[in-house]
Every structure is written in C-alpha cells, then in structure tokens.
Amino acid sequence: MDGRTSTMMEAARAWRPSPPTLILLGLIAYLWVRPPAEVSDENRIAPPWHVALTEVRVLTSEAREGRVVLVDFRATGCPYCRKEKPVIERFWPDHRDPGFEVVSISVDDLADRIAACTTRVSVS
C-alpha cells in the first residue's frame, strides 16, 4: 500500500459521526428501504362519493356504477404522481373496454395550476 491509501484508511477509521449525523443517516436508510403504501385486500363496494370538476361539473360514484374505477389522488408537484402517471396511462387503454376507468383527483386547490399541469402533460 502506498502512503496515500493508508492515510485514507486511517482517516476512515478515525471518523466518528455525531449523533445528528447518525440520526440523519438512519432516517435516509429508513426512507430508502421502507415498504410502499399498503394496499388493502378488502373486496367491497366503496361508499358513495362526488367530486367537483374544474369545468363546474360534478362527478359522482352513481354515474360510474357497474364499472371498476381507480380513484387516483395526485398533486401537480408530487414526484411520485409524475412517476405513476405513465404507468396508469399504459395500463388504462388495454383495460378500458371491459369497464375500467381512471378518475384522477388533484389535491391542489388552485384550478389554474391544475389546468397548467394538464396542458403541459398529456391527459386522457
């Protein structure tokens, strides 16, 4: 071993992380390996619901009766939502004929922000 390698190894052995550093590293490790959101195995009909659309219409569960509806809650700034959207867009065309529908509900309060996002990305 040359002098430089042994110096680096000695520095690595001498490094003692502070408690806040250990907590931060533990938090990063937890968030990295934690399981995804839980999915329920329940097979029951959802309670009635209604959603106000940006076009001043109301979408109700009664209007979707008899169909399988994926209710997708999203936000315009959510990175997980942006990753999930292309997967849903690929899945939906193959399953829409038998009665499968996707209803995406934005949790953003501003209608102009929602409209800007839907024009920036393709929405079916």
Side-chain angles (χ1 to χ4, degrees), residues 77-96:
C78 172
Y80 300 108
C81 299
R82 285 189 294 243
K83 274 189 149 181
E84 179 183 79
K85 184 185 177 313
V87 175
I88 294 172
E89 288 287 328
R90 284 192 306 268
F91 181 83
W92 179 70
D94 295 335
H95 298 87
R96 67 179 171 191

Side-chain angles (χ1 to χ4, degrees), residues 9-101:
M9 290 177 64
E10 288 173 20
R13 280 190 212 118
W15 182 67
R16 300 279 186 252
S18 66
T21 303
L22 287 174
I23 292 170
L24 183 60
L25 289 173
L27 182 62
I28 290 170
Y30 167 75
L31 292 174
W32 188 268
V33 298
R34 71 186 169 119
E38 291 185 36
V39 177
S40 172
D41 291 353
E42 291 182 36
N43 187 10
R44 62 183 174 86
I45 297 173
W49 51 268
H50 66 278
V51 177
L53 302 175
T54 54
E55 302 93 28
V56 194
R57 293 185 301 142
V58 175
L59 181 67
T60 64
S61 57
E62 290 83 21
R64 302 291 181 255
E65 193 170 338
R67 300 178 183 129
V68 175
V69 180
L70 168 66
V71 181
D72 176 34
F73 292 94
R74 60 180 53 247
T76 55
C78 172
Y80 300 108
C81 299
R82 285 189 294 243
K83 274 189 149 181
E84 179 183 79
K85 184 185 177 313
V87 175
I88 294 172
E89 288 287 328
R90 284 192 306 268
F91 181 83
W92 179 70
D94 295 335
H95 298 87
R96 67 179 171 191
D97 290 335
F100 177 73
E101 293 186 8

